[in-house]
Amino acid sequence: MVVRAIGLSKTFRGPDGRPVPVLDGVDVEVKPGEFVAVAGPSGSGKSTLLNLLGLLEPVDAGEIWIGDVCVSRLSRRAQCPVRGRSIGYVFQSFLLIAGLTALENVLLAARYVGRSRREALPAARALMERLGVAHRSGHYPAQLSGGEQQRVAYCRAVLNAPPLVLADEPTGNLDDGHARVILAELRGLCRDRGASVILVTHRADAAALADRTLRLRGGRLESEGGDGTT
Amino acid sequence: MRRLLPRNYLFTILGIAVGVAGLVALGAMAERITRFIDGGDRFVLGQISVAGEGMGMGTGFTAGGLLRASRIEEISRVPGVAAVQAQVMLPLNPTTSQFLTLTQELIMGVDPAAPVANRQYRELPVREGRFLRAGDRGVAVVGIDFAASRKLRTGGRLELGGRPFEVVGVLDKTLTAPDRFAIVPLDDARELWLRRDPLLVQVFAGGAGAMRRADLNTGAAVAWADGVDPDALARRIQAEVPGLNVTIPGELSRLLRQSTAFFSALLFGIGVLGLVIGGLSLSNTVTAAVFERIRDFGIKRALGATDLQLLREILAEALVVSVSGGLIGVGLALAVGALVDARVLREGQQLFLFSARLLGFALVFSVVLGGLAAAYATLRIARLSPAEAIRRGA
C-alpha cells in the first residue's frame, strides 16, 4: 500500500502565542516494502512529519493518502481504525503504559482493532519470544531495561501487522547492541512482510540501512538520497 | 481487580474513601439529630400533656404545677378522653438545667396498671427483661443509653435519689428521649420526689389542703378516643377543667419544631457541607486520576482507541474505583463513628446514626459523581490529538 503525503504543513503556537511554522509543504511518497529514513537537525520537523503521517496530529494543510484513501480528511472517529490497523508506532521514549505488564502492553494493540485477547495472545507471545522478552511478560515497564522496553514497544507496534510502521528515533535511548536488534527488525519488516517503514534518526548507521533518506531543514524537504546516502 | 485497575489507583481509592467517609460521618450526625427531633415530635403528637397551674417542676413534656388526683378525675370525664395516665417526671440530676427536656436524663414514674396514653408509643420496646407490671415496687426499666452509660443489665442494681432499684428491663433504642429515661413505678417516683423536695414534706406534715400521695403528679398524659381531634379535645379540657396547663399537641409540635429550628438549620448545613466536602474530594480525586493518565490515553488513541472506547474504559475503571473507595469510606466512617460513639456513650449520648438510606445514598453518590467526574475528564482529554496528549503527559 503506497503512502503519500502532499503539501503537508503544520504550524504550532509559540509560548508568546506567535505562530511557529514547523512543516511547510512537504511531499513524501513511500512504496510498499520501502525503508525510508528521515534525517535533519533538531527542530527541522522530523517528528512532526511522523506525527502527521501517523494521524497523531491534524494537518493544517496538505493531504495524506494510504492506498486509495485520503486518511487526513477522515473524521476523528474514522481515523481511529486506520491508526489501529494500518499504522504501527515505535517511539524514542517507548511509551509503554506503566500500569500494564509487558504482555498486556503488547496485547493493547489488539484491543482497539476488535481482535480478541485469545486470538492475539499466540502472536503476542511469539513476537516477544522472537525479540527475547518473553521471559519478561509479567513484568511492568519500570522493571524492564531500556532495551527490553523498546523491544516490547516494537512487539506492540507490529502485532497487528500494519502496512506502515513509523519509528521516531527508536534507538535514541538504546546502546548499540539493542539498537542493532531494533534496526534489524525494522529492516526485516520491509524485506519479509512488505511493510513500509519510515524511520526518524540521527544515527548514520541507521540511515545507512534505509533504501533512501529524506533530509529536512526548517520544515522543508531539503534533499533526498538513495541507498542510505543523502 | 488487577486486570480492571492499573496499579496506581490505590491512592485514588483512598482519596475517594476519605471524601465518602467525610460525607457519611457528617450525614450520620445529621441523621442522628433528625431522628431525635422526629422522635420528640412523634411523642408530643401522640398525647395531650397536662399539668397543674403554676411553675412546678417544669420537667418532662409539660411545664406546670402539681396535678392533683381530683383534677385527673375531672379530665377523664371530659367527652372524647379515652384515658388519663398520671405521671411524675424528675430530673435525675436536679442541678442540671430543666430546659433540656429532650436531652436530660429523667426519672419517669408511671402507673403500669393505667392504660398507656401515648398513641405513638402504645408500649415502649423492651430489648431485654420486661416492662413494669402492676404492683411492682423498687424496680426500674431503663433506656438503652441510660443503661449503657452505667453498664446496667437486667438484674443489675441502680441507685436513684439515694434509693436502690433493681433493673428489670432495658428498652430498645428509640433514638429519642426515652433512651435516657429510668422508668419506675409511680409510687416510687412520688417517694423520690418527696425525698428530694423538703417543702413538699412540710406540706404533707402540715396536712395543707388535704393533700394525698395520689396528688403528687407532675403531669398526666391524656389519650383521646378514636375519631376525636386531639387539638380540639385539648381546648375542651382547658375550658371544662379549671386550673390546668394544657398543651395542644399541634401547637406543641410547632413549638418543638420552632425550638429545634436551629438544629434543623444546623443539620441542613452539615448535610450540605458533607455533600460539598465529600463531593469535591471525590470528583477532584477522580478527575486528577484521569488527568494524570493523559499520556496513557494518548498512547491508546495512537493504538486506535476511539473516544467511546476510552470513555467506556474510564467509566468502568471509575465504577470500580468509586465503589471500592465508597465501600472503604463507608467502612472508615463506621469505624470512626463506632469509636466516637463508644466514647460519648459513657455520657449516655450517641452522635452518629448510620441509616441504610444514608449508606445507600453515599455509595450511589460516589458512583454517580465518580462517573461524572471521569466522563468530564475523559471528554476534556478526548479533545486533544494523540500527540498532544502524549506531550502533555510526558
Side-chain angles (χ1 to χ4, degrees):
Chain A
M1 211 183 292
V2 176
V3 179
R4 268 183 306 144
I6 305 156
L8 285 189
S9 294
K10 185 72 183 174
T11 300
F12 290 107
R13 293 219 167 267
D16 55 358
R18 284 189 197 166
V20 179
V22 180
L23 274 186
D24 184 12
V26 173
D27 298 330
V28 177
E29 183 169 318
V30 183
K31 294 184 177 64
E34 196 177 15
F35 190 153
V36 176
V38 181
S42 294
S44 58
K46 303 185 297 293
S47 293
T48 303
L49 174 64
L50 229 56
N51 284 346
L52 296 185
L53 290 173
L55 306 178
L56 300 184
E57 202 113 55
V59 298
D60 289 345
E63 290 177 350
I64 299 164
W65 292 74
I66 295 181
D68 298 330
V69 182
C70 180
V71 292
S72 58
R73 281 199 199 146
L74 294 175
S75 66
R76 270 167 52 94
R77 191 175 171 184
Q79 284 183 348
C80 295
V82 178
R83 277 198 292 265
R85 290 179 196 283
S86 303
I87 306 169
Y89 306 86
V90 187
F91 301 93
Q92 181 180 1
S93 53
F94 322 133
L95 294 186
L96 296 176
I97 290 181
L100 299 180
T101 63
L103 179 61
E104 286 164 346
N105 264 289
V106 175
L107 287 170
L108 205 57
R111 185 192 294 182
Y112 301 116
V113 296
R115 289 175 73 188
S116 70
R117 183 182 165 87
R118 180 183 288 186
E119 182 216 331
L121 193 58
R125 286 198 192 285
L127 265 171
M128 292 180 79
E129 189 74 47
R130 192 157 62 78
L131 270 290
V133 284
H135 65 295
R136 304 292 245 163
S137 295
H139 289 73
Y140 290 91
Q143 298 166 325
L144 304 176
S145 70
E148 287 171 331
Q149 287 189 57
Q150 192 59 296
R151 280 180 278 164
V152 171
Y154 174 82
C155 293
R156 185 180 66 186
V158 300
L159 182 70
N160 294 332
L164 173 63
V165 174
L166 305 172
D168 189 358
E169 306 221 31
T171 58
N173 286 332
L174 303 181
D175 60 34
D176 285 348
H178 286 116
R180 273 197 295 276
V181 171
I182 295 296
L183 291 172
E185 280 294 328
L186 290 171
R187 181 73 259 188
L189 277 180
C190 304
R191 189 183 56 236
D192 305 334
R193 290 216 339 246
S196 307
V197 173
I198 302 177
L199 169 75
V200 166
T201 184
H202 278 114
R203 294 173 66 120
D205 60 338
L209 286 173
D211 298 321
R212 58 194 170 98
T213 300
L214 308 177
R215 184 160 286 279
L216 281 172
R217 184 175 289 274
R220 287 170 175 272
L221 202 55
E222 189 181 62
S223 63
E224 192 168 330
D227 297 329
T229 62
T230 57
Chain B
M1 193 77 165
R2 163 56 58 87
R3 293 283 292 277
L4 279 170
L5 291 179
R7 288 187 303 170
N8 48 7
Y9 262 126
L10 177 65
F11 286 107
T12 309
I13 291 174
L14 289 178
I16 292 171
V18 169
V20 171
L23 169 71
V24 171
L26 289 173
M29 289 165 74
E31 281 279 271
R32 175 71 185 93
I33 298 171
T34 304
R35 189 69 69 88
F36 183 76
I37 293 172
D38 285 350
D41 196 43
R42 243 179 101 218
F43 193 94
V44 300
L45 283 171
Q47 66 181 41
I48 299 167
S49 298
V50 180
E53 262 182 341
M55 288 298 290
M57 292 293 293
T59 311
F61 302 103
T62 316
L66 210 66
L67 183 65
R68 301 180 71 153
S70 57
R71 289 275 184 267
I72 292 176
E73 274 294 314
E74 287 176 60
I75 295 167
S76 64
R77 286 197 292 272
V78 173
V81 171
V84 186
Q85 188 187 43
Q87 291 173 345
V88 171
M89 281 193 175
L90 309 169
L92 185 73
N93 179 0
T95 61
T96 57
S97 166
Q98 295 182 0
F99 293 103
L100 296 170
T101 302
L102 287 173
T103 56
Q104 69 183 163
E105 290 184 316
L106 290 180
I107 298 169
M108 184 180 187
V110 294
D111 180 1
V116 175
N118 196 298
R119 294 174 79 93
Q120 301 286 354
Y121 294 90
R122 282 295 184 202
E123 55 184 34
L124 288 168
V126 177
R127 171 172 285 196
E128 61 173 63
R130 63 172 178 82
F131 199 69
L132 299 180
R133 290 183 191 140
D136 270 344
R137 290 300 300 267
V139 298
V141 174
V142 293
I144 191 156
D145 291 345
F146 189 102
S149 63
R150 293 167 178 77
K151 297 187 170 57
L152 288 172
R153 302 289 306 266
T154 305
R157 309 290 296 176
L158 166 70
E159 194 169 284
L160 296 171
R163 259 201 63 187
F165 283 82
E166 183 194 347
V167 177
V168 293
V170 176
L171 295 179
D172 226 336
K173 195 96 181 157
T174 64
L175 289 167
T176 190
D179 289 348
R180 279 174 298 285
F181 281 4
I183 303 169
V184 298
L186 188 59
D187 284 335
D188 286 334
R190 284 170 176 152
E191 196 175 311
L192 290 175
W193 191 2
L194 278 173
R195 278 170 171 244
R196 189 178 283 182
D197 197 334
L199 183 65
L200 272 182
V201 176
Q202 283 177 25
V203 168
F204 268 93
M211 279 261 271
R212 297 176 297 127
R213 274 198 172 225
D215 293 324
L216 281 177
N217 306 299
T218 59
V222 178
W224 54 89
D226 290 338
V228 172
D229 174 8
D231 287 9
L233 178 60
R235 290 194 179 87
R236 196 181 310 145
I237 293 169
Q238 207 160 27
E240 292 185 13
V241 184
L244 292 181
N245 275 352
V246 181
T247 57
I248 315 292
E251 282 179 13
L252 187 58
S253 171
R254 268 193 299 282
L255 274 174
L256 187 70
R257 288 280 169 196
Q258 278 170 12
S259 64
T260 55
F262 168 74
F263 288 106
S264 299
L266 182 70
L267 68 90
F268 177 74
I270 289 174
V272 171
L273 202 65
L275 281 177
V276 170
I277 292 174
L280 279 180
S281 164
L282 195 150
S283 54
N284 185 50
T285 305
V286 172
T287 309
V290 175
F291 279 131
E292 260 178 26
R293 297 180 55 213
I294 189 168
R295 173 180 166 276
D296 292 357
F297 297 138
I299 296 168
K300 288 179 176 180
R301 292 204 51 210
L303 294 173
T306 62
D307 293 349
L308 195 63
Q309 282 172 318
L310 281 182
L311 189 63
R312 261 207 312 258
E313 269 184 30
I314 292 302
L315 285 181
E317 287 179 12
L319 182 72
V320 177
V321 166
S322 302
V323 169
S324 311
L327 287 173
I328 294 172
V330 165
L332 199 64
L334 288 173
V336 169
L339 279 174
V340 173
D341 272 347
R343 171 72 186 79
V344 298
L345 197 61
R346 287 179 226 156
E347 287 127 37
Q349 301 295 333
Q350 181 190 336
L351 205 56
F352 299 97
L353 174 61
F354 297 100
S355 63
R357 69 173 179 177
L358 172 69
L359 302 185
F361 172 78
L363 283 177
V364 170
F365 178 77
S366 62
V367 169
V368 170
L369 204 61
L372 286 175
Y376 162 76
T378 307
L379 292 176
R380 285 279 305 271
I381 290 173
R383 285 198 222 145
L384 304 174
S385 68
E388 180 65 18
I390 290 169
R391 267 197 298 274
R392 288 200 191 179

